[in-house]
């Protein structure tokens, strides 16, 4: 057997991905620092793999994408085992715990499992029982707080993408139309018209953007979600919503190109504040979204875009430890009134860091190798 035709870059990338997966399912909170105690006595483990939060939802999506590209059985088995254990126990419905249902919808669609009752129950909750803001926006209600009248950029990834996918899988077009409206509403209130970046949050209660933070990981959910949303719906190039979302995405990516750290390829946790630390999980999301936007021809294959994506991929790879941990990953972050508070969020390994890196490197396999 000749090894001369083996793509060594592809082999190395898949090795990194497998290390990321191993770390993903073995992350432990050794000190209890990152546990989330609830008023009813429950304790949510946002760091470990054996719980149910948005951190796990993003991890499952990363496993799904890797399985779709490579057929990797281990990634599929890990996801199926997670759903088996979690669906037997259940959890409180909120904007973040909805996130695993995106992967559940894909697995149901491909016949890997029958999740119909769960898809139906969760999507019906989002459509009819989830708290709403003025103008019918999905209020960012979490385990800890209702976030009254608040829109967050995270919501598009955590609840709206699952809703549209379930609508497609269960043939419920009213879900799809509601998801379209949510994307437009979030663009309306969260994208900064001056920079093209997104504010972390907006509240109708006082009508303001809190500290006006253009936060890295919050922005990256948008960079991930818009191409995925357009792809899910298979919107044609002349579709009005596709054109609207694409112009929003281009404005954001143009700003990202401007603010990328040229030495490392990373972005700062406050994108336009170079005094804030460089953060790798947001960078991984940007790498995925920009690379996918290039592949889908949502942005032209201009040197500045291609270079930004490649530098971001290199920055992600440089921050994966030999054990498969994505370094420089910030802990979960609420909306702050003072931008300085974003700089105080600790750096620690997290499932979403692993899975955003997994998403980036999986897209890397398709786009650049």
């Amino acid at each position: 057997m000749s090894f001369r035709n083996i793509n060594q870059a592809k082999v190395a990338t898949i090795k990194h991905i497998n290390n990321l997966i191993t770390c993903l399912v073995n992350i432990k909170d050794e000190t209890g620092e990152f546990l989330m105690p609830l008023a009813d006595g429950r304790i949510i483990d946002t760091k470990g793999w054996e719980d149910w939060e948005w951190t796990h939802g993003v991890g499952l999506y990363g496993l799904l994408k890797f399985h779709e590209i490579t057929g990797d059985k281990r990634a599929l088995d890990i996801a199926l085992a997670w759903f088996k254990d979690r669906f037997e126990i259940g959890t409180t419905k909120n904007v973040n715990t909805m996130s695993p249902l995106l992967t559940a919808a894909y697995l149901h669609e491909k016949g890997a499992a029958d999740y119909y009752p769960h898809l139906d129950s969760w999507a019906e909750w989002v459509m009819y029982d989830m708290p709403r803001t003025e103008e019918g926006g999905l209020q960012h209600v979490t385990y800890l707080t209702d976030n009254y009248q608040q829109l967050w950029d995270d919501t598009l990834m955590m609840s709206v993408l699952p809703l549209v996918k379930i609508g497609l899988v269960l043939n419920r077009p009213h879900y799809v139309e509601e998801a379209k409206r949510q994307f437009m509403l979030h663009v309306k209130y969260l994208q900064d018209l001056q920079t093209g970046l997104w504010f972390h949050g907006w509240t109708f209660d006082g009508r303001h953007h809190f500290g006006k933070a253009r936060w890295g990981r919050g922005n990256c959910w948008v960079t991930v979600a818009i191409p995925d949303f357009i792809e899910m719906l298979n919107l044609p190039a002349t579709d009005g919503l596709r054109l609207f979302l694409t112009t929003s995405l281009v404005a954001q990516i143009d700003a990202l190109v401007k603010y990328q750290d040229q030495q490392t390829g990373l972005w700062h946790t406050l994108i336009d504040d170079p005094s804030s630390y460089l953060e790798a999980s947001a960078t991984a999301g940007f790498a995925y979204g920009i690379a996918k936007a290039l592949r889908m021809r949502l942005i032209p294959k201009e040197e500045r875009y291609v270079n930004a994506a490649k530098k971001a991929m290199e920055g992600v790879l440089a921050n994966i430890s030999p054990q498969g941990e994505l370094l420089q990953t910030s802990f979960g972050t609420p909306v702050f009134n003072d931008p300085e508070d974003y700089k105080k969020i600790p750096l620690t390994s997290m499932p979403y860091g692993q899975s955003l890196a997994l998403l980036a490197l999986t897209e890397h396999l398709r786009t650049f190798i």
Side-chain angles (χ1 to χ4, degrees), residues 313-329:
M313 293 290 183
E314 291 166 2
V316 170
L317 287 167
N319 279 280
I320 298 174
S321 75
Q323 293 75 35
E325 176 186 344
L326 183 69
L327 308 174
Q328 287 295 120
T329 297

Side-chain angles (χ1 to χ4, degrees), residues 123-182:
E124 286 287 290
W125 174 78
V126 171
M127 283 293 296
Y128 302 112
D129 297 315
M130 187 176 184
R132 299 282 176 137
T133 67
E134 291 180 23
E135 301 189 29
L138 296 182
Q139 183 172 302
H140 197 86
V141 57
T142 68
Y143 275 125
L144 295 178
T145 177
D146 286 343
N147 292 317
Y148 176 70
Q149 288 295 320
Q150 294 180 25
L151 300 177
W152 292 22
D153 46 14
D154 317 40
T155 303
L156 294 177
M157 182 74 188
M158 306 311 164
S159 284
V160 181
L161 283 189
L163 180 65
V164 71
K165 185 60 184 177
I166 294 171
L168 293 170
V169 171
L170 300 188
N171 192 25
R172 296 180 183 177
H174 54 298
Y175 291 0
V176 175
E177 294 307 310
E178 176 62 10
K180 290 178 181 179
R181 194 178 72 85
Q182 290 299 326

Side-chain angles (χ1 to χ4, degrees), residues 35-89:
L35 297 177
M36 183 194 299
L38 304 183
D40 60 10
R42 287 179 296 159
I43 297 177
I44 305 301
D45 183 359
T46 63
K47 192 176 177 73
W49 185 240
E50 304 300 326
D51 217 312
W52 187 328
E53 243 289 44
W54 67 270
T55 51
H56 310 91
V58 179
L60 292 161
Y61 194 51
L63 292 169
L64 171 76
K65 289 296 182 183
F66 182 52
H67 171 71
E68 285 182 343
I69 299 300
T70 66
D72 186 87
K73 186 175 183 299
R74 176 190 177 214
L76 176 63
D77 289 345
I78 290 170
L80 290 171
W82 188 94
F83 281 111
K84 181 179 184 299
D85 293 340
R86 301 286 82 73
F87 280 155
E88 287 178 357
I89 300 170

Side-chain angles (χ1 to χ4, degrees), residues 346-361:
L347 296 165
T348 183
S349 59
M350 290 298 293
Y352 52 79
Q354 302 304 116
S355 51
L356 280 166
L358 176 56
L359 283 173
L361 295 188

Side-chain angles (χ1 to χ4, degrees), residues 47-322:
K47 192 176 177 73
W49 185 240
E50 304 300 326
D51 217 312
W52 187 328
E53 243 289 44
W54 67 270
T55 51
H56 310 91
V58 179
L60 292 161
Y61 194 51
L63 292 169
L64 171 76
K65 289 296 182 183
F66 182 52
H67 171 71
E68 285 182 343
I69 299 300
T70 66
D72 186 87
K73 186 175 183 299
R74 176 190 177 214
L76 176 63
D77 289 345
I78 290 170
L80 290 171
W82 188 94
F83 281 111
K84 181 179 184 299
D85 293 340
R86 301 286 82 73
F87 280 155
E88 287 178 357
I89 300 170
T91 194
T92 303
K93 291 182 172 72
N94 63 51
V95 69
N96 289 330
T97 53
M98 177 69 177
S99 61
L101 277 294
L102 174 59
T103 301
Y106 275 98
L107 295 177
H108 180 89
E109 181 182 43
K110 76 192 298 288
D114 183 359
Y115 295 142
Y116 177 86
H118 304 286
L119 300 178
D120 173 71
S121 173
W122 281 80
E124 286 287 290
W125 174 78
V126 171
M127 283 293 296
Y128 302 112
D129 297 315
M130 187 176 184
R132 299 282 176 137
T133 67
E134 291 180 23
E135 301 189 29
L138 296 182
Q139 183 172 302
H140 197 86
V141 57
T142 68
Y143 275 125
L144 295 178
T145 177
D146 286 343
N147 292 317
Y148 176 70
Q149 288 295 320
Q150 294 180 25
L151 300 177
W152 292 22
D153 46 14
D154 317 40
T155 303
L156 294 177
M157 182 74 188
M158 306 311 164
S159 284
V160 181
L161 283 189
L163 180 65
V164 71
K165 185 60 184 177
I166 294 171
L168 293 170
V169 171
L170 300 188
N171 192 25
R172 296 180 183 177
H174 54 298
Y175 291 0
V176 175
E177 294 307 310
E178 176 62 10
K180 290 178 181 179
R181 194 178 72 85
Q182 290 299 326
F183 262 85
M184 291 187 287
L185 188 65
H186 281 71
V187 171
K188 176 181 177 180
Y189 283 105
L190 289 172
Q191 188 158 28
D192 178 15
L193 297 179
Q194 289 187 316
T195 65
L197 299 171
W198 285 51
F199 296 114
H200 190 181
W202 161 267
T203 178
F204 288 96
D205 185 18
R207 302 185 72 85
H208 59 77
H209 289 109
F210 301 94
K212 295 185 177 179
R214 289 167 283 265
W215 175 53
R217 195 165 53 247
N219 268 267
C220 96
W221 299 131
V222 176
T223 323
V224 170
I226 289 179
D228 281 9
F229 185 72
I230 291 171
E231 182 181 58
M232 277 184 208
L233 291 178
N234 195 26
L235 298 176
T238 57
D239 179 84
L241 178 59
R242 172 176 170 145
L243 292 170
F244 172 77
L245 292 177
T246 299
T247 58
S248 171
L249 180 66
V250 169
Q252 187 204 41
I253 292 175
D254 283 346
L256 291 173
V257 171
K258 174 182 175 182
Y259 288 113
Q260 186 177 29
D261 181 70
Q262 294 305 302
Q263 183 176 351
T264 64
L266 305 182
W267 278 269
H268 294 272
T269 196
L270 293 175
I271 295 171
D272 53 349
D273 181 355
S275 70
S276 65
Y277 57 73
L278 294 166
E279 208 280 335
S281 72
T283 298
F286 295 141
Y288 172 85
I290 297 172
K292 187 162 186 174
L294 284 164
R295 176 167 61 81
M296 292 176 62
R297 306 185 189 282
L298 300 177
I299 56 176
K301 291 189 176 179
E302 296 176 4
E303 185 177 2
R304 60 186 176 129
Y305 295 137
V306 174
N307 286 344
K310 286 184 175 179
K311 285 179 182 177
M313 293 290 183
E314 291 166 2
V316 170
L317 287 167
N319 279 280
I320 298 174
S321 75

